[in-house]
Amino acid sequence: MKVGIDMGTTSEGTSASLDIEELLATRLLVQGNSGSGKSHLLRRLLEQSAPWVQQCIIDPEGDFVTLADKFGHVVVEGERTDAELIGIATRIRQHRVSCVLSLEGLDIEQQMRSAGVFLNAMFDADREYWYPVLVVVDEAQMFAPSVGGDVSEEARKVSLGAMTNLMCRGRKRGLAGVIATQRLAKLAKNVAAEASNFLMGRTFLDIDMQRAADLLGMDRRTAEMFRDLKRGSFVALGPALSRRPLKVTIGSVETSARSTSPKLMPLPEAPQDVEDLIFTPDPEELSRPVVRRPAPQPRPASDILAELSRPRPEAGALVEAKPAQPEISAEEREAMLDGLFAEILANPEAALRPDAELYQDFLVRCRIRRVPGSAPSLSVFRRKMAVARSGVDAETAATETWASALRLADRVTEDLQGVFLMMAQAAVRGLPCPSDTMIARAYGTHSARRARRLLGYFEEQGLIVVHADFSGKRIVAFPDLGAETAPGDANAQDTGMSGRAAAE
Ligand SMILES: Nc1ncnc2c1ncn2[C@@H]1O[C@H](COP(=O)(O)OP(=O)(O)OP(=O)(O)O)[C@@H](O)[C@H]1O
Ligand SMILES: [Mg+2]
């Protein structure tokens, strides 16, 4: 179905149409200096497309909450536990309800964490809920910064990983990223590069102009025109907008930014049960631990220096686990967590369930068994899953080469680490290269084609080199580890065993 929404007027006096279906497939990047009219543009886009497509807005300023009154968006306050955010995001996808994740009032670290956890849970939704959603992220440079800032590495990784998932791999799962930034040079390149549609507003700084010119494939002199654009005017280019650069003046909006609109509007006869649907937890959720994240205290420089000089903790260890209560030692607590972990993995269904869902199960079990201290975070849980799914044995796990493999795995997003480590363990131990079916299963899919694409992706990242022996069997080499798998049949059928067992 072709639906063109009206964004305003072009310099030729015609209506500026944005093809929503095309946008879902090709994503959009909006850039312009502060006050150029980006948020206004996003609002116009959201208002016009609201009847056609589900929307999720990541809103650092709480500006878009006014969409709730007129269009029925559910406002989700970002100050929640990870488990709460995951539950809400999962139900947002199940029930196809538009929402605004309002991060107003949170500090930057919390904003990044909340947005990252929420987006990842939307990304991890069960396949049957992969309906199209426009995911609009205002001030995207905050969530996908090009360089590390003054926030913890963990928050940065969660948020950047989620934005990368959204822009690079979200399409298949129905997620279409629409991101806006004041400063293109501050936005991570891989995130910006995945948009095929652009709306470029007034831009002053040369470095931003150059990045814009590069993205649009314009020469830098032509890009000078971005300097003279008026507020509310943008140059549009891309398959959903225009085949050649076209100046567009964004039209008016029906709702206003909350900051300039103090008066409340009466609620329309919106479906009242929508909020119930989203906010009423299922009975199982009530047993999840409700632990509010404390606001992080500013850390003294001496602290940071001390941390930098400490040796890196063993990757994969439960580094975030708080010290156990006095009656149980750290080792005992670790053993308890390992036990719970093994219980989850023992379920044959576990391989095909999203990590976010398994994590919820894990949290409930922690609660039931009264494991003291706060539960490990989702990313720690994911890493443990990835290591367990790799099928590595205790002897290999203790080697220095395996430690290097774990460090290398940090270079891929969390949900790819299981596959990556499975391949790495086969290489470190010189076992036959896993088949496409085994790779697919480790990624939680049945698609062999997707397995091959994953290998292609790792190769593009410079992490592996795929080659073949004379009989055509596949070998995967890990240059950084100085190891490669033995030749393996890429088309071998799944034996139902782990990588390790199948190879033996
Ligand atoms: N096309 C337009 N028509 C009418 N008013 C506009 C238009 N575009 C922007 N404005 C007004 O200009 C002001 C600044 O716009 P907006 O908040 O969208 O800028 P911004 O690019 O998001 O800035 P920042 O990066 O600081 O958030 C707002 O008051 C907005 O209502
Ligand atoms: Mg804005």
Side-chain angles (χ1 to χ4, degrees):
M1 180 174 57
K2 190 175 166 72
V3 174
I5 60 160
D6 177 12
M7 290 298 292
T9 43
T10 68
S11 51
E12 295 160 2
T14 55
S15 146
S17 172
L18 172 64
D19 180 341
I20 287 292
E21 198 161 62
E22 187 63 42
L23 177 70
L24 289 171
T26 51
R27 299 166 292 274
L28 169 66
L29 169 69
V30 182
Q31 97 103 38
N33 290 154
S34 184
S36 56
K38 299 178 300 297
S39 299
H40 178 99
L41 181 156
L42 293 179
R43 188 177 291 277
R44 170 88 185 184
L45 169 59
L46 288 162
E47 289 180 355
Q48 297 290 318
S49 64
W52 302 105
V53 64
Q54 188 191 346
Q55 308 175 333
C56 166
I57 303 130
I58 307 296
D59 181 6
E61 304 289 333
D63 257 355
F64 292 93
V65 299
T66 49
L67 291 170
D69 300 340
K70 192 161 171 61
F71 298 96
H73 291 60
V74 169
V75 177
V76 180
E77 297 294 342
E79 195 183 0
R80 292 173 183 276
T81 61
D82 288 2
E84 284 174 319
L85 287 170
I86 291 168
I88 293 172
T90 307
R91 290 191 294 275
I92 286 284
R93 289 220 75 180
Q94 282 172 4
H95 301 299
R96 306 184 64 190
V97 171
S98 290
C99 70
V100 181
L101 178 68
S102 171
L103 302 170
E104 189 191 12
L106 301 186
D107 66 35
I108 170 81
E109 170 131 1
Q110 282 180 307
Q111 289 186 321
M112 290 173 86
R113 280 190 58 94
S114 297
V117 168
F118 196 82
L119 285 177
N120 273 333
M122 291 196 54
F123 182 83
D124 284 335
D126 228 353
R127 177 182 283 274
E128 64 188 290
Y129 303 120
W130 289 358
Y131 300 108
V133 190
L134 271 191
V135 181
V136 172
V137 184
D138 202 1
E139 310 290 359
Q141 76 285 347
M142 277 173 49
F143 303 106
S146 52
V147 290
D150 205 13
V151 295
S152 73
E153 185 57 19
E154 201 215 338
R156 198 181 72 89
K157 259 176 78 174
V158 172
S159 169
L160 184 57
M163 290 290 285
T164 308
N165 277 340
L166 168 66
M167 294 303 281
C168 302
R169 294 186 298 121
R171 185 177 62 86
K172 285 272 162 52
R173 295 167 183 239
L175 302 181
V178 172
I179 59 178
T181 180
Q182 286 184 356
R183 296 286 323 277
L184 203 43
K186 288 193 171 174
L187 181 68
K189 272 193 179 154
N190 63 330
V191 168
E194 293 299 327
S196 306
N197 299 288
F198 304 96
L199 282 161
M200 296 292 173
R202 189 174 50 189
T203 306
F204 295 121
L205 293 183
D206 286 342
I207 180 167
D208 293 327
M209 201 118 60
Q210 282 167 16
R211 287 281 307 277
D214 291 349
L215 273 177
L216 269 62
M218 271 180 177
D219 70 62
R220 296 185 178 181
R221 288 254 305 284
T222 317
E224 284 283 322
M225 66 174 160
F226 300 147
R227 240 189 253 282
D228 302 323
L229 289 169
K230 293 204 169 57
R231 163 181 294 174
S233 288
F234 290 79
V235 173
L237 182 67
L241 289 158
S242 163
R243 291 184 184 284
R244 59 197 167 74
L246 182 64
K247 204 166 123 189
V248 170
T249 303
I250 306 300
S252 59
V253 293
E254 296 168 47
T255 58
S256 46
R258 197 174 52 164
S259 42
T260 58
S261 140
K263 71 173 175 5
L264 289 169
M265 285 187 282
L267 286 169
E269 75 288 10
Q272 294 294 336
D273 57 343
V274 162
E275 300 238 350
D276 283 350
L277 219 50
I278 299 303
F279 288 117
T280 310
D282 56 50
E284 200 183 70
E285 267 178 67
L286 293 173
S287 56
R288 277 179 211 145
V290 180
V291 186
R292 297 261 165 209
R293 278 196 300 275
Q297 298 294 316
R299 295 195 301 164
S302 57
D303 239 34
I304 297 168
L305 287 175
E307 189 168 305
L308 286 175
S309 57
R310 259 201 299 280
R312 230 183 111 100
E314 181 92 12
L318 291 173
V319 288
E320 280 161 41
K322 291 268 184 315
Q325 284 163 6
E327 67 268 20
I328 163 173
S329 72
E331 289 77 34
E332 284 170 319
R333 179 175 187 278
E334 188 102 349
M336 274 177 99
L337 290 170
D338 281 346
L340 295 182
F341 201 70
E343 278 174 22
I344 289 176
L345 275 177
N347 183 343
E349 276 289 294
L352 293 172
R353 308 310 302 170
D355 282 347
E357 202 174 295
L358 297 177
Y359 180 58
Q360 297 204 3
D361 183 19
F362 178 71
L363 291 181
V364 173
R365 287 169 196 256
C366 284
R367 193 93 196 274
I368 294 171
R369 304 288 163 76
R370 297 197 191 287
V371 179
S374 58
S377 70
L378 175 59
S379 57
V380 172
F381 176 80
R382 274 196 157 137
R383 171 54 81 101
K384 292 265 294 177
M385 283 300 277
V387 173
R389 281 179 180 152
S390 75
V392 71
D393 63 328
E395 198 184 318
T396 313
T399 62
E400 184 45 41
T401 320
W402 183 249
S404 308
L406 290 175
R407 281 194 292 274
L408 212 53
D410 278 339
R411 287 169 41 190
V412 302
T413 50
E414 281 170 356
D415 62 327
L416 296 183
Q417 291 185 351
V419 179
F420 183 81
L421 289 173
M422 180 183 82
M423 303 303 293
Q425 75 92 21
V428 172
R429 301 174 67 209
L431 298 177
C433 180
S435 68
D436 288 345
T437 320
M438 286 161 69
I439 296 172
R441 201 153 55 94
Y443 186 51
T445 164
H446 292 294
S447 159
R449 211 153 49 97
R450 184 169 292 171
R452 285 192 293 278
R453 277 214 307 275
L454 281 179
L455 289 189
Y457 174 74
F458 293 151
E459 199 162 22
E460 270 169 34
Q461 305 298 307
L463 294 165
I464 62 170
V465 176
V466 181
H467 60 118
D469 72 357
F470 292 124
S471 67
K473 284 192 170 157
R474 184 164 64 200
I475 301 171
V476 170
F478 287 73
D480 296 297
L481 303 180
E484 66 177 21
T485 67
D489 181 359
N491 300 317
Q493 281 316 298
D494 196 352
T495 56
M497 290 184 275
S498 71
R500 177 184 172 202
E504 284 167 357

